[in-house]
Amino acid sequence: MSCSTLPNLSLQLDFAKKWTSVSLRPRTSTCCTCQERSTLEPKKKRDGKSRGVKNRSVTEDKSLISRSRISQQNSLPPLIGALKASAEKNAASFHFPGHNRGRAAPSSLTQLIGVRPFIHDLPELPELDNLFSPEGPILEAQMQAAKLFGSSETWFLVGGTTCGIQAAIMATCSPGEHIILPRNSHISAISAMVLSGAIPKYILPEYDCKWDIAGGVTPSQVGKAIKELQMDGKKPAAVFITSPTYHGICSDLSDISQLCHAYGIPVIVDEAHGAHLGFHPQMPHSALKQGADLVVQSTHKVLCSLTQSSMLHMSGSIVDRERICRCLQTLQSTSPSYLLLASLDAARAQLGENPGTVFNKALELASEASTIIKTIPGISVLDLSSFNEFPAIDPLRLTLGFWSLGLSGYEADDILDREHGVISELVGTQSITFAINLGTCREHTQRLVSGLKKLSMSFLHSKTTEMRVESREHAPFNDICISLNPRDAFFANKRSVSIKESLGNVCGELICPYPPGIPVIIPGEVITEKALNYLLDVRKKGAVITGASDSHLSSIVICDV
């Protein structure tokens, strides 16, 4: 039962059945002293603490919330203000979570983060609204986010972009329907096909062998996939695109959207790494700006919400919004963290204060670092010359190659971390990717540049340096053969065999190096020698293999078919 339907607060003892979570209070912090960085924090609310809670009607509650909202609108974002006011009540709390507004918070954790996150870790109280049927501060926060990002409607996600991708695919694809997507899609798209019963029509992405990096997809590839399905008498229920990729490579979503809409096909975009796009003239356009119908963003990646918080945006009228709501209710926790939700509201407010200039300093630092790094002998910088069929690359991603120094990405990353305290975002066989964001400061970009210079000096002229990093001729997934669709493979009977015995059998588990979480073998695909060799190679170089029941890859689970 929703809190808003209860006759009065004195009867609300049953709200103890709701809402618990663990997270951190949203705040802006720096890891180094940087004079050039401005900290964007909401102003403090001037209201004093509320007195004890008295019995009152729902109408009175809504009136109180309305008056409170008016007083907060010039100081705090709506959900932040509501959470602050609720936490300041002198309430006798007989509801979850069990730490009871921090009174019983574990000391080991309060020594680390303090008690304030627990004080604000509240459940679904009347004044805090309901995530599944918002009418108050959550609705207002989502509406303000929709206005800022340019969507017709926005939903806050507490299950990360994974949850949003699953909901988007489930909302557009029914069991047995086809979805067009790149083969290097994130594992969340694969799990979405298991949940929805959708059948994949894969596009093999552009691939650069020297970098061992997959790019995006082109409009012509999408058009070819649509026509191939039409020749079989089928129409895709949706087209799914990842843009930008983890390395920042952007596909031509404008032409892809125009093409798909001509067939009445909705376009879903995994924009996990692009929530910041479109907020500066030097940045590529956002997916929404280019006509995508459903866009999922990891607000916590380059923007500043808490980890695991994301947004799902909708534009246009091709997709049924009610179906999206039903899917989100199926997938999202019935105990959402208000700290995560409030952090989304805070990140939106932070970005909305100066949307055209907030990334000025980050772009300046990224440009300066890239310019200097390009002059360092033996280190390559990824640019569009390697992917010239694509319109843009995110200027806040720096992907560097080290093969001229005889180093793999894993080896270079280990040296930079161990000897220079430089921690990267993504490591590959040939490269390392560094993410520049609002918290990046000049001291750290200087440390990165300094570490790279020393790396070059140490290995460029070393007599023991050998070209041990070999380029690959093909992507690891360019010869896939699908025997079962992902859903059937997921539920099929399985058994474990040695890696040698697995060759030629149907894979029963999802196997991928992480990060970035791009599967090399998907359940239902025939296991090939090329895929096995790739997995063994990247594992030897230091990659972590996820999804496999045996992370050492001495055995693999196959389907009994």
Side-chain angles (χ1 to χ4, degrees):
M1 182 184 299
S2 170
C3 288
S4 62
T5 63
L6 296 175
N8 57 62
L9 288 179
S10 66
L11 299 179
Q12 293 180 19
L13 294 178
D14 68 333
F15 61 44
K17 67 183 179 182
K18 297 186 173 79
W19 323 118
T20 180
S21 63
V22 179
S23 188
L24 302 180
R25 180 171 183 255
R27 69 177 79 186
T28 304
S29 62
T30 58
C31 53
C32 61
T33 303
C34 307
Q35 294 181 347
E36 73 268 21
R37 181 184 171 207
S38 62
T39 302
L40 303 176
E41 292 183 323
K43 300 176 183 177
K44 293 184 178 179
K45 186 172 178 291
R46 291 174 292 179
D47 297 354
K49 291 186 176 181
S50 302
R51 293 179 175 85
V53 178
K54 299 180 180 179
N55 292 348
R56 54 182 181 265
S57 67
V58 171
T59 302
E60 290 172 335
D61 286 336
K62 290 184 176 179
S63 176
L64 175 62
I65 294 170
S66 177
R67 291 197 301 272
S68 176
R69 185 184 304 150
I70 292 173
S71 68
Q72 296 162 3
Q73 63 185 6
N74 293 324
S75 57
L76 292 175
L79 195 49
I80 296 288
L83 189 61
K84 180 178 187 294
S86 185
E88 289 177 346
K89 286 183 177 180
N90 181 21
S93 302
F94 295 92
H95 58 72
F96 296 155
H99 60 67
N100 202 307
R101 299 183 182 234
R103 296 180 181 90
S107 60
S108 59
L109 190 54
T110 58
Q111 291 176 31
L112 181 66
I113 65 174
V115 73
R116 292 188 65 82
F118 292 94
I119 295 173
H120 294 85
D121 179 29
L122 296 175
E124 183 201 42
L125 302 172
E127 65 269 22
L128 294 182
D129 208 358
N130 185 316
L131 180 62
F132 292 154
S133 56
E135 296 178 347
I138 292 178
L139 176 61
E140 187 174 348
Q142 290 183 158
M143 290 174 65
Q144 291 189 22
K147 182 179 180 181
L148 178 66
F149 287 95
S151 67
S152 58
E153 187 161 0
T154 291
W155 291 268
F156 283 2
L157 307 175
V158 293
T161 294
T162 290
C163 167
I165 288 173
Q166 291 171 341
I169 291 178
M170 290 175 66
T172 53
C173 301
S174 296
E177 293 185 327
H178 287 75
I179 180 171
I180 296 172
L181 73 166
R183 179 53 183 75
N184 63 326
S185 297
H186 190 265
I187 55 176
S188 56
I190 311 304
S191 63
M193 290 189 285
V194 172
L195 292 168
S196 66
I199 300 174
K201 170 67 175 175
Y202 289 125
I203 294 174
L204 297 181
E206 295 294 309
Y207 182 80
D208 187 279
C209 302
K210 180 176 66 174
W211 285 91
D212 192 20
I213 287 176
V217 299
T218 63
S220 61
Q221 289 178 309
V222 175
K224 180 182 177 183
I226 293 173
K227 290 179 180 177
E228 287 176 352
L229 285 175
Q230 285 180 329
M231 291 175 64
D232 292 334
K234 301 163 185 172
K235 175 186 174 181
V239 169
F240 179 89
I241 304 293
T242 303
S243 182
T245 66
Y246 211 147
H247 300 93
I249 301 161
C250 300
S251 296
D252 186 349
L253 297 177
S254 181
D255 282 358
I256 290 173
S257 297
Q258 187 176 358
L259 170 67
C260 292
H261 292 164
Y263 290 95
I265 303 169
V267 176
I268 305 169
V269 177
D270 174 359
E271 202 174 38
H273 293 272
H276 59 295
L277 298 187
F279 287 100
H280 194 280
Q282 294 178 21
M283 289 184 181
H285 292 303
S286 69
L288 286 167
K289 186 73 173 178
Q290 296 182 73
D293 301 285
L294 292 175
V295 178
V296 194
Q297 297 175 336
S298 293
T299 318
H300 62 90
K301 292 192 184 299
V302 177
L303 301 184
C304 302
S305 66
L306 293 175
T307 296
Q308 195 177 310
S309 60
S310 296
M311 295 186 191
L312 169 60
H313 305 286
M314 182 179 75
S315 183
S317 57
I318 296 181
V319 181
D320 181 358
R321 73 167 300 277
E322 294 303 323
R323 190 169 171 179
I324 296 175
C325 291
R326 290 194 296 271
C327 292
L328 287 174
Q329 288 184 30
T330 300
L331 296 165
Q332 294 230 78
S333 171
T334 55
S335 302
S337 165
Y338 273 83
L339 290 171
L340 294 181
L341 294 172
S343 78
L344 287 168
D345 194 22
R348 185 274 314 160
Q350 180 187 40
L351 181 60
E353 288 186 14
N354 299 288
T357 59
V358 66
F359 285 102
N360 280 359
K361 181 55 64 176
L363 285 165
E364 179 186 335
L365 291 174
S367 177
E368 288 177 359
S370 178
T371 300
I372 296 173
I373 293 169
K374 287 177 180 177
T375 67
I376 301 176
I379 297 177
S380 302
V381 180
L382 180 70
D383 57 30
L384 283 179
S385 64
S386 298
F387 293 95
N388 53 25
E389 290 193 60
F390 299 98
I393 189 167
D394 182 1
L396 295 184
R397 293 292 159 95
L398 296 178
T399 297
L400 312 179
F402 302 88
W403 53 84
S404 294
L405 299 179
L407 296 173
S408 70
Y410 300 107
E411 291 168 327
D413 181 71
D414 178 66
I415 296 170
L416 289 171
D417 182 7
R418 178 166 33 86
E419 298 184 8
H420 304 285
V422 173
I423 302 175
S424 66
E425 170 58 31
L426 172 65
V427 187
T429 59
Q430 309 281 67
S431 65
I432 307 176
T433 298
F434 301 88
I436 310 297
N437 51 47
L438 293 176
T440 303
C441 57
R442 181 165 276 107
E443 176 194 334
H444 286 178
T445 56
Q446 290 173 343
R447 190 191 301 182
L448 169 62
V449 170
S450 175
L452 292 171
K453 287 181 177 179
K454 291 178 181 178
L455 194 68
S456 173
M457 292 173 60
S458 298
F459 289 90
L460 186 64
H461 302 298
S462 172
K463 293 182 180 179
T464 60
T465 296
E466 300 176 3
M467 297 304 296
R468 293 174 284 122
V469 184
E470 299 178 359
S471 296
R472 305 180 189 280
E473 295 181 2
H474 304 287
F477 39 70
N478 73 333
D479 58 350
I480 58 172
C481 176
I482 301 175
S483 179
L484 296 173
N485 68 49
R487 183 181 179 89
D488 289 343
F490 183 86
F491 290 105
N493 291 327
K494 302 177 180 70
R495 59 190 174 91
S496 180
V497 300
S498 69
I499 190 168
K500 291 182 179 180
E501 291 179 272
S502 72
L503 190 62
N505 285 289
V506 178
C507 189
E509 55 187 354
L510 189 147
I511 309 176
C512 63
Y514 195 90
I518 306 303
V520 172
I521 309 177
I522 290 173
E525 292 181 355
V526 176
I527 299 171
T528 65
E529 184 176 3
K530 184 176 295 182
L532 290 179
N533 288 339
Y534 180 87
L535 286 168
L536 292 172
D537 183 47
V538 295
R539 182 186 173 278
K540 181 180 179 181
K541 287 182 168 66
V544 175
I545 305 300
T546 65
S549 56
D550 179 4
S551 60
H552 298 290
L553 294 181
S554 58
S555 64
I556 290 180
V557 172
I558 63 172
C559 296
D560 261 335
V561 292

